[in-house]
C-alpha cells in the first residue's frame, strides 16, 4: 500500500507541474483511471487501519470523535496550503520581479483562478472557509474531508449489516451520478466540486472494506488476470489522445460514453479500469508486497524510498502542490518551458524535494526530542578527586535541565 501510494504521489506531482511534458506519459493518458484513484483507494485502506480499531476498542462515539479530529486537521491543512500558494503567487506577481529579471509576464495567479480572493474577498473568504469556494487546484482535500465524515456512518451501518453498508455506499454513488448530490464550488456560478465526494467515496470504501475484512482478497487465477488485461487494452484507444483524436469513430464512441468515464462523478468505467489495474498491481507486488524485495540493493533502496513517500502521503501531497508551482516558475525564469533539460530538472528535482519532505516529516513524527540523550563517555585516566566527583554528580541534573 505504501509503495503504490508513493508512486501515486510522484504521478500527482507530475500532473500538477504547469506545462509539464511528462504528463503525456502518466497512467491517466492510457486509461480512464489515474493517480487520484490510487490516492483515494489507498487512503481508504490506511483509514481502515488507523481508525477502524478505535471504533472496535473504544466504541462508535470515540471513533466518530477521532474522525472529527482528523477532519479538523485536514480542513486547516487545506486552508493553510491555500493561503501559502495564493499569497506567495500574488506577492511575486505584484513585486514585478519576474518581468524585470527574466522577462516573464505569465500571470500565475490567474492560471489558478485566484484573483477572486483579492478582488472579491467579501464573497471568497466566507466561501473558502465554508468550502463553497473550491478552486480546481485545491479540490482533493475538501473531497477527502467529506469522505472522512462518512466513515462513522458506514461503521454504524456495518455494525448491523455489512451488506447494508455496501448498499449505502453504492446508493450514494448512484445518486451522485444522477446529479442529485452536487456541492457548489463557486458562490457566483453553478459549477460543482470537480471531485464529487459522494461519488468518489465508492473507491475509498472499496479500499476500506478490503482492509476491514468486509471484502476478501480476490482469487489469483488466469481468468481474472486475462479479464483485467482485456479491460486495460479495450480502454486504451478511448483514453489515449493520440488515438481517439485521430480516429473519428473512436472519438465518437468516447463522447457517447462520457458519463461512464467522467471524473467528477467517478464514472463506472473509471471504477472498472482502476479495479483491473489494482488487481494486476497487487499480483505484481505479491501478498504483503513480498515480490518487491530481494532484487538487489539498488532496487531495495528505491522501494524503501518510495514507501517512505507513501507513508507521509498527506504531507507530501500538500508540499507537492507548492513545489510544483515553484518548480514551474523557476523553469519559466530560464525560458525552459520548451527545452528538454529544464523540463527534466523541474521533474527530477521536484521528486527529490518530495523525498526530502517525506523523510523530514517522518523525523519530526518520531519526536526525537523525547528520546534520552546519548550518554557522555567517561574519560579515561586516574580516578577522579573528591572535588571532581562532586562536580560530576551535578552533571546529570544539569543535562536534564538542558534537555527540557
Amino acid at each position: 500500500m505504501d509503495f503504490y501510494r508513493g508512486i501515486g504521489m510522484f504521478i500527482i506531482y507530475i500532473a500538477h507541474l504547469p506545462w509539464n511534458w511528462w504528463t503525456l506519459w502518466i497512467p491517466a493518458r492510457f486509461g480512464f483511471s489515474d493517480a487520484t484513484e490510487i490516492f483515494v483507494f489507498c487512503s481508504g485502506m490506511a483509514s481502515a487501519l488507523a481508525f477502524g480499531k478505535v471504533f472496535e476498542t473504544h466504541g462508535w462515539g470515540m471513533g466518530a470523535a477521532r474522525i472529527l479530529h482528523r477532519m479538523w486537521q485536514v480542513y486547516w491543512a487545506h486552508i493553510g496550503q491555500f493561503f501559502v500558494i495564493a499569497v506567495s503567487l500574488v506577492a511575486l506577481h505584484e513585486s514585478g520581479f519576474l518581468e524585470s529579471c527574466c522577462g516573464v509576464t505569465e500571470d500565475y495567479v490567474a492560471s489558478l483562478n485566484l484573483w477572486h480572493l483579492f478582488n472579491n474577498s467579501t464573497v471568497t473568504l466566507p466561501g473558502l472557509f465554508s468550502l463553497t469556494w473550491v478552486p480546481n487546484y485545491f479540490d482533493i482535500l475538501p473531497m477527502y474531508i467529506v469522505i472522512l465524515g462518512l466513515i462513522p456512518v458506514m461503521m454504524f451501518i456495518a455494525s448491523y449489516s455489512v451488506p447494508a453498508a455496501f448498499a449505502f455506499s453504492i446508493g450514494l454513488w448512484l445518486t451522485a451520478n444522477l446529479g442529485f448530490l452536487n456541492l457548489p464550488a463557486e458562490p457566483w456560478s453553478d459549477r460543482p466540486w470537480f471531485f464529487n465526494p459522494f461519488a468518489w467515496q465508492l473507491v475509498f470504501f472499496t479500499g476500506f472494506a478490503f482492509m476491514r475484512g468486509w471484502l476478501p482478497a480476490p482469487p489469483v487465477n488466469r481468468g481474472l488476470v486475462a479479464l483485467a488485461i482485456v479491460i486495460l487494452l479495450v480502454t486504451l484507444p478511448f483514453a489515449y489522445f493520440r488515438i481517439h483524436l485521430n480516429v473519428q469513430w473512436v472519438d465518437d464512441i468516447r463522447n457517447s460514453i462520457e458519463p461512464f468515464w467522467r471524473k467528477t462523478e467517478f464514472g463506472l468505467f473509471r471504477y472498472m479500469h482502476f479495479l483491473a489495474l489494482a488487481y494486476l498491481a497487487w499480483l505484481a507486488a505479491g501478498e504483503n508486497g513480498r515480490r518487491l524485495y530481494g532484487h538487489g540493493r539498488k532496487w531495495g533502496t528505491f522501494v524503501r524510498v518510495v514507501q517512505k513517500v507513501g507513508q507521509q502521503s498527506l504531507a507530501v501531497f500538500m508540499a507537492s502542490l507548492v513545489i510544483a508551482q515553484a518548480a514551474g516558475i523557476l523553469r519559466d525564469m530560464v525560458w525552459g518551458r520548451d527545452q528538454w533539460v529544464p523540463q527534466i530538472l523541474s521533474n527530477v528535482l521536484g521528486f527529490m524535494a518530495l523525498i526530502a519532505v517525506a523523510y523530514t516529516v517522518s523525523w519530526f513524527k518520531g519526536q526525537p526530542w523525547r528520546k534520552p540523550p546519548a550518554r557522555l563517555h567517561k574519560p579515561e585516566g586516574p580516578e577522579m578527586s573528591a572535588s571532581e566527583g562532586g562536580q560530576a554528580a551535578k552533571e546529570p541534573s544539569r543535562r536534564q535541565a538542558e534537555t527540557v
Side-chain angles (χ1 to χ4, degrees):
M1 178 184 71
D2 289 334
F3 177 78
Y4 285 120
R5 189 161 52 168
I7 294 293
M9 291 300 100
F10 290 119
I11 297 172
I12 287 175
Y13 171 79
I14 293 173
H16 282 98
L17 180 61
W19 299 94
N20 187 9
W21 297 352
W22 288 27
T23 57
L24 299 178
W25 303 102
I26 61 177
R29 299 294 172 264
F30 304 96
F32 292 141
S33 68
D34 55 33
T36 311
E37 278 85 356
I38 299 175
F39 178 76
V40 177
F41 179 80
C42 290
S43 295
M45 297 175 69
S47 294
L49 293 173
F51 308 129
K53 196 68 175 178
V54 179
F55 283 90
E56 290 181 355
T57 58
H58 297 284
W60 185 89
M62 192 62 68
R66 178 67 182 92
I67 294 297
L68 286 174
H69 180 253
R70 187 57 172 169
M71 291 171 65
W72 181 252
Q73 290 175 319
V74 177
Y75 171 81
W76 285 111
H78 164 69
I79 298 297
Q81 179 193 57
F82 178 89
F83 277 113
V84 166
I85 294 177
V87 174
S88 298
L89 289 181
V90 79
L92 185 63
H93 181 276
E94 293 299 302
S95 71
F97 172 75
L98 292 179
E99 185 172 5
S100 62
C101 84
C102 312
V104 177
T105 58
E106 179 84 19
D107 189 342
Y108 297 100
V109 183
S111 67
L112 295 183
N113 199 26
L114 297 181
W115 279 117
H116 295 289
L117 175 65
F118 306 95
N119 298 333
N120 193 17
S121 58
T122 57
V123 173
T124 55
L125 280 178
L128 175 67
F129 282 91
S130 63
L131 300 182
T132 56
W133 180 44
V134 182
N136 283 344
Y137 194 72
F138 304 91
D139 43 21
I140 291 185
L141 291 185
M143 171 189 68
Y144 185 47
I145 292 170
V146 175
I147 293 177
L148 282 174
L150 293 173
I151 292 179
V153 180
M154 286 288 289
M155 292 297 292
F156 178 79
I157 298 174
S159 65
Y160 293 95
S161 171
V162 170
F166 287 141
F168 175 75
S169 177
I170 295 171
L172 280 181
W173 175 78
L174 285 172
T175 305
N177 272 264
L178 293 174
F180 295 114
L181 289 175
N182 289 321
L183 297 175
E186 292 177 343
W188 53 86
S189 74
D190 295 328
R191 183 177 73 84
W193 283 19
F194 183 74
F195 293 106
N196 188 322
F198 302 108
W200 278 84
Q201 53 79 29
L202 181 65
V203 69
F204 177 92
F205 284 114
T206 300
F208 191 92
F210 275 121
M211 297 307 292
R212 290 292 300 160
W214 298 348
L215 287 175
V220 179
N221 59 58
R222 294 181 179 179
L224 278 180
V225 171
L227 177 61
I229 294 174
V230 167
I231 290 175
L232 298 185
L233 292 178
V234 170
T235 300
L236 179 61
F238 305 103
Y240 188 42
F241 69 99
R242 296 188 188 278
I243 296 178
H244 72 77
L245 290 181
N246 293 291
V247 181
Q248 187 60 48
W249 68 268
V250 174
D251 199 49
D252 291 339
I253 294 177
R254 170 185 165 86
N255 293 331
S256 66
I257 62 173
E258 181 182 356
F260 295 97
W261 55 261
R262 190 179 296 142
K263 194 167 188 176
T264 295
E265 289 83 17
F266 187 59
L268 177 62
F269 290 171
R270 297 187 69 92
Y271 189 47
M272 294 173 59
H273 182 270
F274 173 74
L275 290 180
L277 189 62
Y279 179 70
L280 295 178
W282 175 65
L283 291 182
E287 188 176 357
N288 296 322
R290 58 183 175 84
R291 292 198 184 97
L292 294 176
Y293 304 100
H295 303 290
R297 180 179 299 178
K298 292 182 179 180
W299 174 258
T301 300
F302 169 76
V303 169
R304 287 191 295 272
V305 169
V306 174
Q307 286 176 326
K308 180 66 71 174
V309 172
Q311 290 165 2
Q312 309 301 334
S313 59
L314 179 58
V316 170
F317 169 76
M318 293 174 57
S320 72
L321 299 192
V322 179
I323 295 170
Q325 289 298 310
I329 293 172
L330 290 173
R331 182 202 58 210
D332 293 350
M333 288 174 65
V334 296
W335 293 103
R337 184 176 292 183
D338 299 323
Q339 299 176 19
W340 280 101
V341 173
Q343 281 279 349
I344 293 173
L345 288 176
S346 61
N347 284 280
V348 174
L349 294 179
F351 292 168
M352 294 174 64
L354 298 187
I355 294 170
V357 168
Y359 277 90
T360 302
V361 171
S362 178
W363 183 84
F364 275 104
K365 284 186 176 180
Q367 298 184 350
W369 49 85
R370 290 183 177 271
K371 299 177 182 178
R375 293 183 177 180
L376 297 177
H377 294 289
K378 181 179 178 181
E380 297 180 357
E383 295 183 0
M384 293 182 295
S385 65
S387 60
E388 290 173 334
Q391 181 66 24
K394 299 177 182 178
E395 288 299 321
S397 61
R398 182 181 301 172
R399 290 198 297 271
Q400 290 172 1
E402 291 172 350
T403 302
V404 173

